Amino acid sequence: MTHPAEEYDVLVAGGGPGGASAATFVAMQGHRVLLLEKEEFPRYQIGESLLPSTVHGICRLLGVADQVHEAGFVRKRGGTFAWGSGSEPWSFDFALSEKFAGPTSFAYQVERAKFDQLLLDNARSKGVEVRERCAVSEAVEEDGRVCGVRYTDADGVERTARARYVVDATGNSSRLQRAVGGERRYSEHFQNLALFGYFEGGRRLPEPNSGNITCVAFPSGWFWYIPLSDTLTSVGAVLRKDCADRVRGDRAEALGSLIDECPIIADYLSDAQRITEGRYGEVRVRKDWSYLHDTFWRPGLVLVGDAVGFIDPLFSSGVHMSTYSALLAARSLNTALRGELDERECFAEYEARYRKEYQTFHDFLVTFYDVNRDEQQYFEEARRVTGDAAPGAQAFVGLVGGGASDESALTSESYRDKRKQQLHELSRGVHWEGHRIQLQAAFGEAADDVPVTDGGLIASLDGMHWERSAEPV
Ligand code: FAD
């Protein structure tokens, strides 16, 4: 039986944080959006430690922050590291950076099945048509443009859906990314793999750090230790490629023997039991995650989240990168759908900003993996890669909290206000005043974005579109 093709403005493949966010940001502008997700939610996913930029920035913009705050997730004040040349573990606190100081100086450790369900339900409530158990198989093209996808629906029926734009948010396993052209480029620096499981009864750090992520370096790599409730802990060993043979054979035994080699983690887990049943009962392996696609879009198709790239679990940047890419791509989609700017310009803006954020995290992580430095040297390196001159640990915390881009949508209200004021002063210096007055007349406040490239676009005041800046900075 053949089915007539369905028509949408935007079709999103994949309902993880990237897909759900992109779909919601587009639907909130009144566009017709279909999201196709292969699994039935709630489904398992790794990536449980979030950043303040996601919790207070993206979730606020999505209109889901209240639900996230009420979900009972563990509050993450910062991170604790047994890392570097010093002998003592050290901690950082998100409140140290003015980008997050005040009521936004924390994030959450989340069970992804619950967090991702909240984002997907929110997409539905904001007008996205969400269909689960629908696996997208390939892009449909016409006249050199992607104009839809073929998918298998929940009843096993092959269907075609058409749209003006397709978003590939199918994550690490994306097959659609091939349709964009170019290649996935794997990192020369990061070729790690992870072996991870879940424990009941692991120890907690003393207050106020009990919700921190703990990262502990050991001879084969490092461990993450993430408290997901008072008693549930996610524990993973990230191993260098040359230690890959440590995960051959029985995975539970392999994880156990790695834990024995890391005294801090062995101590934290000395009274704990590994969970052996249900969603958390498996010891899982992940590898081949450090890559960036060398093309982000082509006419009719754009990649977001893990479909476009991921770096490394250290510093928990994955959900931040995925949802930030969704915001940037959604601005491009919303602007192109409104027909205000050429789509090439819109998607080039997405690509430029996302590459910058990716590169910043990447370059910092390359240095951080050198465990022969001390934390002061890591803080200095954070200042170098971000160009943020803030003293002490501030530039480091701004970066690892997800605020390196200085994107006002991702930072605290007080920092946004301060930045607006700075931009206002800057605008007077470069004769932007006419433009500012127009913007203020239209929206009642000053714009708070600057181009990141010569002649680049800036975010509109509502944060949901791109517009041309009146004057180059
Ligand atoms: P995903 O979360 O992978 O979502 C993609 C969705 O697409 C899935 O729901 C999938 O079912 C669906 N899909 C797949 N194929 C199809 C198809 N053909 N049709 C329709 N739907 C499809 N990030 C953090 O922020 N914090 C961490 O602590 C952290 N730890 C990590 C540890 C490890 C070992 C690894 C490998 C990653 C970690 N990450 C972490 C990264 C994080 O897992 C990802 O960056 C994040 O999940 C990306 O979100 P996404 O929406 O792009 O992709």
Side-chain angles (χ1 to χ4, degrees):
M1 191 165 80
T2 53
H3 292 267
E6 306 157 286
E7 297 272 351
Y8 293 85
D9 293 317
V10 173
L11 195 154
V12 178
S21 302
T24 307
F25 286 137
V26 175
M28 284 165 81
Q29 296 303 305
H31 303 298
R32 205 171 161 226
V33 185
L34 173 67
L35 184 153
L36 300 171
E37 163 58 49
K38 184 175 71 171
E39 305 285 335
E40 184 168 4
F41 276 34
R43 57 96 178 87
Y44 176 84
Q45 176 59 295
I46 191 63
E48 294 142 334
S49 194
L50 302 187
L51 305 186
S53 58
T54 305
V55 169
H56 304 288
I58 297 289
C59 290
R60 178 179 51 84
L61 287 175
L62 289 170
V64 73
D66 288 347
Q67 288 96 308
V68 171
H69 293 317
E70 286 157 15
F73 296 128
V74 169
R75 220 170 141 111
K76 171 186 174 186
R77 215 168 160 264
T80 297
F81 282 77
W83 196 286
S85 56
S87 54
E88 288 300 310
W90 50 279
S91 296
F92 70 85
D93 184 340
F94 290 124
L96 281 173
S97 165
E98 65 172 338
K99 293 184 179 180
F100 307 111
T104 51
S105 60
F106 67 92
Y108 291 114
Q109 316 284 16
V110 299
E111 293 189 61
R112 283 287 300 275
K114 293 181 188 165
F115 179 73
D116 290 11
Q117 177 90 65
L118 281 177
L119 295 198
L120 197 62
D121 287 347
N122 181 58
R124 278 195 184 91
S125 77
K126 301 290 183 330
V128 178
E129 188 178 328
V130 175
R131 294 190 203 153
E132 297 177 50
R133 296 199 290 134
C134 288
V136 173
S137 51
E138 61 177 342
V140 178
E141 297 177 31
E142 249 172 44
D143 302 328
R145 194 177 172 88
V146 171
C147 59
V149 297
R150 272 184 263 284
Y151 70 100
T152 307
D153 75 11
D155 299 317
V157 179
E158 300 280 330
R159 290 180 181 271
T160 301
R162 296 174 64 91
R164 290 170 67 190
Y165 290 97
V166 172
V167 176
D168 176 14
T170 56
N172 180 276
S173 64
S174 167
R175 276 194 270 162
L176 272 184
Q177 41 96 9
R178 290 188 207 131
V180 87
E183 274 180 46
R184 208 173 244 200
R185 304 274 172 199
Y186 285 89
S187 169
E188 288 170 14
H189 291 282
F190 304 111
Q191 302 188 349
N192 299 328
L193 73 158
L195 180 70
F196 48 100
Y198 293 82
F199 291 78
E200 269 294 322
R203 291 217 185 122
R204 293 291 174 259
L205 289 172
E207 295 300 348
N209 293 330
S210 66
N212 278 11
I213 183 172
T214 301
C215 297
V216 183
F218 78 117
S220 305
W222 60 277
F223 268 95
W224 76 71
Y225 188 92
I226 302 175
L228 293 175
S229 76
D230 287 348
T231 58
L232 176 65
T233 311
S234 168
V235 179
V238 177
L239 304 174
R240 292 191 313 272
K241 193 179 160 197
D242 57 290
C243 301
D245 58 351
R246 299 296 311 271
V247 303
R248 296 218 176 92
D250 185 279
R251 288 180 181 178
E253 276 176 24
L255 183 59
S257 77
L258 289 164
I259 290 169
D260 290 342
E261 289 169 29
C262 184
I264 294 180
I265 298 296
D267 177 49
Y268 286 2
L269 293 176
S270 54
D271 297 325
Q273 296 293 324
R274 189 176 71 76
I275 298 173
T276 54
E277 286 178 351
R279 180 183 290 154
Y280 295 130
E282 200 183 318
V283 175
R284 294 175 163 93
V285 174
R286 284 280 302 268
K287 55 182 182 171
D288 299 332
W289 61 60
S290 304
Y291 56 81
L292 184 65
H293 205 89
D294 54 18
T295 317
F296 283 40
W297 76 283
R298 64 173 275 199
L301 176 65
V302 61
L303 312 182
V304 307
D306 274 12
V308 73
F310 177 61
I311 311 169
D312 193 78
L314 192 57
F315 290 121
S316 315
S317 59
V319 173
H320 157 70
M321 297 295 284
S322 175
T323 53
Y324 182 43
S325 79
L327 172 65
L328 298 173
R331 281 182 190 152
S332 304
L333 291 162
N334 289 335
T335 311
L337 285 168
R338 248 180 12 190
E340 287 178 344
L341 291 169
D342 182 81
E343 67 175 11
R344 268 171 303 191
E345 207 178 347
C346 296
F347 290 109
E349 188 62 41
Y350 159 42
E351 183 160 344
R353 290 190 185 230
Y354 189 75
R355 277 189 189 282
K356 191 164 180 266
E357 183 76 353
Y358 186 97
Q359 201 64 47
T360 305
F361 264 102
H362 181 275
D363 292 354
F364 181 67
L365 280 163
V366 168
T367 333
F368 200 83
Y369 264 95
D370 175 358
V371 291
N372 297 315
R373 303 182 185 210
D374 63 26
E375 61 258 41
Q376 296 309 324
Q377 290 171 303
Y378 297 135
F379 299 161
E380 182 55 43
E381 184 60 17
R383 277 193 284 279
R384 190 187 68 77
V385 299
T386 58
D388 180 346
Q394 285 190 47
F396 167 81
V397 177
L399 166 62
V400 302
S405 61
D406 250 353
E407 163 78 64
S408 64
L410 305 183
T411 51
S412 72
E413 209 174 329
S414 55
Y415 185 76
R416 281 200 292 279
D417 289 346
K418 182 178 162 191
R419 195 152 180 273
K420 269 184 199 168
Q421 185 56 36
Q422 284 171 341
L423 288 173
H424 185 70
E425 281 157 19
L426 176 69
S427 73
R428 294 163 81 129
V430 293
H431 309 296
W432 266 19
E433 199 58 15
H435 180 61
R436 296 285 171 206
I437 289 167
Q438 267 181 347
L439 289 174
Q440 282 175 355
F443 300 102
E445 56 176 324
D448 55 4
D449 193 27
V450 290
V452 297
T453 56
D454 272 351
L457 304 173
I458 57 168
S460 60
L461 282 168
D462 66 1
M464 291 297 137
H465 298 86
W466 297 121
E467 59 189 30
R468 217 178 284 293
S469 72
E471 297 269 351
V473 175

